[in-house]
Amino acid sequence: MVKERGYYDILGVEPTASPDEIKKAYRKLALKYHPDKNPNEGERFKLISQAYEVLSDEKKRDLYDKGGEQAIKEGGLGSGGFSSPMDIFDMFFGGGGRMNRERKGKNVVHQMSVSLEDLYNGATRKLALQKNVICEKCEGHGGKKGAVENCPTCKGRGIQIHVQQLGPGMVQQIQTMCSDCHGQGERINPKYRCRNCNGNKTVREKKIIEVHIDKGMKDGQKITFHGEGDQEPGLEPGDVIIVLDQKDHDTFQRRGDDLMTKMDIQLVEALCGFRRTLQTLDKRTLLITSKAGEVIKHGALKCVLNEGMPIYRDPFEKGRLVIQFFVIFPEDGWLPLHKLHHLEALLPQRDDIMVTEDMEYVELSKFDPEAERRHFAGEAYEEDERPRAGVQCHTS
């Protein structure tokens, strides 16, 4: 039992979620609410980052589960507080953090939905990108040579500092972005401004890139196109990072390099053997049989070697196909009572119980957990509606 669910609810996971489930939840939410895509969701993006920072760290998560957010504030983050949401995002998606951003343009991250068949067989997708490229007309200067000058308002700093009197002997300095040059520290004389880019130094360009999905790639795996991100004067272009997002499959679930599936079999098949077919992700048909005399128990796990997912970068090797069997039992009355002794004679002997006079006979009844839940919920509601003893408020 955890003390608080707040961080879990932010990521949309249960307190029992595995580290992989927490990673996947952060990945989807961070891409959805990143300020570049949703400028009005900055606060939500910050909360998502904080929740992931705590829940992805084993020690911080344990501290949060026991003491809640207050325990994290008091001792779980050290003296530095929460990390920058952008640093967490960049480190998660391979951006390298703040120091790397100062030398390099921003990375562009795209989430690409893929099927389990794509990851099994391999696939190629085309992705159309809109990105900024250096203007060829002005070579990224924004205008003619000499047209760019330091902003006289902020003197090239890109910021303005305002001093505000709070009281006798008390002043406050407020730093804001320069409104004249929009934080650039320079401006371009409109007469000499480049007409191709309108002084922005870059223009928008459409580019088609081919994304090759190799056999055996995994959910969340990144495919990086180095230097294909937005271009900015004086900076190395950022990267385009494609993050694979595997869709759920109707038949198979992936566990590492293994494929998991479920198979229902009849009681006669569990006891006497069966032959079943199963179509693979590359459209082959497997004939699955049990050995003579082998009893398949309800919930039993069996595997077929080398029929799982291809190993990434070694696609001729595969993991296992793991099958969990569920035995379907006959309905009541399927066998006439006078024939039951014939069936019993074929089955292992039952244990005999010594019956004594002090034993009490009881009968089994059907139990429906959902009906019981509704029943108790109704009782709790009726309890709340009953008048309570003690002082009551008088209303007129």
Side-chain angles (χ1 to χ4, degrees):
M1 180 69 68
V2 298
K3 183 171 183 179
E4 294 178 9
R5 287 183 54 104
Y7 286 156
Y8 292 102
D9 291 340
I10 288 172
L11 295 183
V13 298
E14 292 296 322
T16 55
S18 67
D20 284 343
E21 290 172 328
I22 290 172
K23 275 187 176 181
K24 186 167 186 175
Y26 170 76
R27 186 181 80 230
K28 289 189 174 183
L29 293 173
L31 289 172
K32 182 177 181 180
Y33 294 105
H34 191 281
D36 287 349
K37 290 187 177 179
N38 282 287
N40 298 326
E41 294 287 0
E43 187 60 30
R44 184 164 187 174
F45 180 72
K46 179 181 176 182
L47 292 174
I48 291 167
S49 301
Q50 291 177 354
Y52 176 71
E53 183 176 358
V54 171
L55 299 183
S56 63
D57 184 289
E58 186 177 349
K59 292 182 179 179
K60 292 177 185 177
R61 181 178 180 179
D62 183 60
L63 187 64
Y64 175 74
D65 288 346
K66 293 176 180 177
E69 193 171 349
Q70 189 61 34
I72 293 295
K73 291 179 179 178
E74 290 176 356
L77 293 169
S79 58
F82 286 103
S83 301
S84 161
M86 293 307 300
D87 281 346
I88 293 174
F89 182 89
D90 282 346
M91 294 302 294
F92 186 91
F93 290 103
R98 185 185 296 112
M99 293 299 293
N100 193 52
R101 289 202 305 271
E102 292 174 356
R103 296 180 287 101
K104 189 176 180 180
K106 287 195 301 183
N107 292 335
V108 179
V109 181
H110 290 274
Q111 185 162 277
M112 178 174 284
S113 182
V114 294
S115 66
L116 191 56
E117 284 87 352
D118 291 334
L119 300 176
Y120 186 94
N121 298 303
T124 299
R125 298 279 188 84
K126 289 186 177 181
L127 183 66
L129 297 178
Q130 290 282 349
K131 68 175 188 175
N132 293 332
V133 297
I134 300 294
C135 176
E136 292 183 354
K137 296 290 185 181
C138 64
E139 298 179 342
H141 296 293
K144 293 181 179 180
K145 291 184 179 180
V148 180
E149 58 185 15
N150 280 346
C151 175
T153 304
C154 65
K155 295 181 173 52
R157 293 193 300 268
I159 58 172
Q160 291 177 285
I161 298 177
H162 306 277
V163 179
Q164 184 178 359
Q165 184 87 27
L166 298 178
M170 297 177 62
V171 295
Q172 181 184 31
Q173 284 190 345
I174 301 175
Q175 180 176 299
T176 61
M177 183 180 70
C178 178
S179 58
D180 288 344
C181 67
H182 303 290
Q184 297 297 313
E186 60 187 29
R187 68 177 186 178
I188 302 173
N189 191 318
K191 292 182 181 179
Y192 307 112
R193 186 176 293 164
C194 175
R195 294 183 180 180
N196 187 49
C197 66
N198 198 30
N200 294 319
K201 303 179 182 180
T202 61
V203 294
R204 297 293 283 173
E205 182 181 90
K206 182 179 180 180
K207 181 169 183 179
I208 306 294
I209 61 174
E210 282 195 349
V211 182
H212 297 283
I213 303 166
D214 294 335
K215 293 181 179 182
M217 280 188 165
K218 298 182 179 180
D219 177 52
Q221 189 160 344
K222 306 176 189 69
I223 302 173
T224 303
F225 294 85
H226 297 285
E228 290 291 349
D230 289 334
Q231 298 177 6
E232 297 179 51
L235 291 179
E236 179 187 346
D239 302 330
V240 171
I241 301 174
I242 307 299
V243 182
L244 301 180
D245 180 37
Q246 180 203 311
K247 295 181 289 188
D248 291 335
H249 196 272
D250 292 337
T251 304
F252 299 103
Q253 295 81 44
R254 184 176 184 174
R255 296 289 185 272
D257 294 322
D258 293 338
L259 284 174
M260 313 286 293
T261 191
K262 297 176 181 179
M263 184 176 289
D264 292 337
I265 58 175
Q266 299 294 327
L267 178 60
V268 63
E269 294 178 299
L271 298 176
C272 305
F274 67 87
R275 300 176 73 187
R276 291 293 184 102
T277 59
L278 182 67
Q279 189 175 64
T280 64
L281 294 170
D282 56 355
K283 306 301 183 183
R284 293 177 294 117
T285 300
L286 303 180
L287 178 61
I288 300 173
T289 62
S290 60
K291 298 177 182 178
E294 179 184 18
V295 175
I296 305 296
K297 297 179 180 178
H298 183 74
L301 294 169
K302 302 287 182 180
C303 74
V304 182
L305 299 178
N306 209 40
E307 284 296 345
M309 289 295 295
I311 308 298
Y312 178 54
R313 291 183 174 171
D314 189 11
F316 294 104
E317 294 293 327
K318 296 179 182 178
R320 300 166 297 182
L321 170 62
V322 181
I323 305 173
Q324 185 173 23
F325 292 94
F326 292 89
V327 180
I328 300 175
F329 282 78
E331 297 294 333
D332 293 345
W334 70 279
L335 185 66
L337 294 179
H338 69 275
K339 291 186 177 180
L340 284 178
H341 69 279
H342 294 300
L343 176 62
E344 184 173 356
L346 298 173
L347 296 174
Q349 289 186 348
R350 68 176 84 189
D351 293 334
D352 286 332
I353 300 297
M354 180 69 69
V355 179
T356 61
E357 294 182 355
D358 59 341
M359 293 182 179
E360 297 183 21
Y361 284 85
V362 295
E363 290 185 357
L364 291 175
S365 301
K366 291 184 177 180
F367 177 72
D368 183 353
E370 185 62 25
E372 291 294 314
R373 187 190 66 78
R374 292 195 298 267
H375 172 71
F376 284 118
E379 283 190 347
Y381 176 77
E382 292 175 3
E383 182 70 24
D384 289 340
E385 290 295 309
R386 293 175 189 152
R388 302 178 187 276
V391 179
Q392 303 290 324
C393 293
H394 175 73
T395 58
S396 57

